[in-house]
Amino acid sequence: EAGVTQFPSHSVIEKGQTVTLRCDPISGHDNLYWYRRVMGKEIKFLLHFVKESKQDESGMPNNRFLAERTGGTYSTLKVQPAELEDSGVYFCASSQGGSYNSPLHFGNGTRLTVT
Amino acid sequence: AQSVTQLGSHVSVSEGALVLLRCNYSSSVPPYLFWYVQYPNQGLQLLLKYTTGATLVKGINGFEAEFKKSETSFHLTKPSAHMSDAAEYFCAVRRASGGSYIPTFGRGTSLIVHP
């Protein structure tokens, strides 16, 4: 089966611009997670979808970040307007269930650089 | 709140030497603990997990970890390091959130293996 895919793999934008990251989960996986890692720091949780619903968005840093998952398939994460501190690697993961035993499958990440 | 702390951002060992990567957790309830590995330009892969039962868990690539409740630790070990083990390793705990369990990660430890 195809794994979790993320587009683009790299993005370099200027402060104030808009960027949209995309995640295609494994087919049939209802749970989709977004994480971000700023260099040298922990991988920080952003939000969790179950199908098209936002189950937990407690990690979203502010209202410049907007995540969607229309139709419960792929998800997008838009940053508008981007700030320097938004630079980092954005990971997406999916799982079939949401239990403690449900394995997460990660994408390779999108490296975002804001200059 | 459930969290994990990884001691040491970098660990350096010689090929064939013991690998020990440290992780301590904070949890008011029995934790569900995981170790993930990330190779360069790839997503995270599950190495092993502890949920219930045997406290010594074995994972892929010869790694194992022991859950020690008295020490609130879940350290990762491998008897003999191989060059291919060079990667970044993340400890994680899954916290309950609205019926699901969200992984919360540590800062990661880079394992460097010298010939």
Side-chain angles (χ1 to χ4, degrees):
Chain A
E1 64 180 3
V4 177
T5 52
Q6 293 187 244
F7 304 96
S9 57
H10 293 80
S11 180
V12 181
I13 61 171
E14 293 183 354
K15 176 183 171 181
Q17 289 185 322
T18 298
V19 63
T20 300
L21 314 180
R22 172 168 168 150
C23 169
D24 286 70
I26 291 173
S27 178
H29 281 194
D30 287 340
N31 292 265
L32 188 148
Y33 311 78
W34 282 99
Y35 286 86
R36 174 174 74 176
R37 188 181 191 207
V38 174
M39 183 164 312
K41 298 198 173 179
E42 74 271 23
I43 298 174
K44 188 171 179 236
F45 167 77
L46 297 178
L47 88 161
H48 170 220
F49 283 99
V50 176
K51 297 185 181 178
E52 67 275 8
S53 298
K54 293 175 186 174
Q55 195 77 7
D56 183 340
E57 50 185 329
S58 60
M60 295 288 266
N62 51 60
N63 58 11
R64 295 186 295 103
F65 288 75
L66 174 64
E68 295 180 318
R69 193 183 181 195
T70 307
T73 54
Y74 70 90
S75 174
T76 58
L77 180 64
K78 181 191 286 189
V79 185
Q80 178 183 32
E83 298 288 344
L84 298 179
E85 64 265 25
D86 300 332
S87 295
V89 181
Y90 290 76
F91 291 103
C92 173
S94 72
S95 66
Q96 194 160 30
S99 81
Y100 61 85
N101 241 342
S102 297
L104 259 66
H105 300 262
F106 281 82
N108 289 350
T110 294
R111 182 174 296 278
L112 174 65
T113 303
V114 183
T115 62
Chain B
Q2 296 185 326
S3 64
V4 290
T5 301
Q6 292 183 243
L7 301 177
S9 59
H10 294 83
V11 169
S12 182
V13 300
S14 298
E15 192 173 20
L18 171 72
V19 175
L20 171 60
L21 305 182
R22 300 176 186 273
C23 174
N24 288 87
Y25 69 88
S26 170
S27 176
S28 58
V29 297
Y32 302 120
L33 294 161
F34 303 78
W35 275 99
Y36 286 82
V37 61
Q38 184 187 18
Y39 297 102
N41 300 315
Q42 293 186 26
L44 280 72
Q45 301 172 39
L46 180 65
L47 265 181
L48 50 78
K49 63 181 178 182
Y50 168 78
T51 53
T52 58
T55 56
L56 180 63
V57 292
K58 296 185 185 299
I60 61 173
N61 301 338
F63 283 93
E64 60 182 38
E66 187 170 11
F67 170 66
K68 291 187 176 180
K69 186 177 178 181
S70 61
E71 299 177 7
T72 61
S73 69
F74 190 57
H75 301 332
L76 181 71
T77 60
K78 182 174 180 178
S80 177
H82 192 272
M83 296 296 290
S84 60
D85 294 327
E88 193 150 22
Y89 293 79
F90 294 90
C91 183
V93 63
R94 288 186 90 152
R95 61 171 177 84
S97 170
S100 298
Y101 288 83
I102 308 294
T104 300
F105 291 89
R107 292 192 168 209
T109 298
S110 268
L111 177 64
I112 302 160
V113 183
H114 298 288

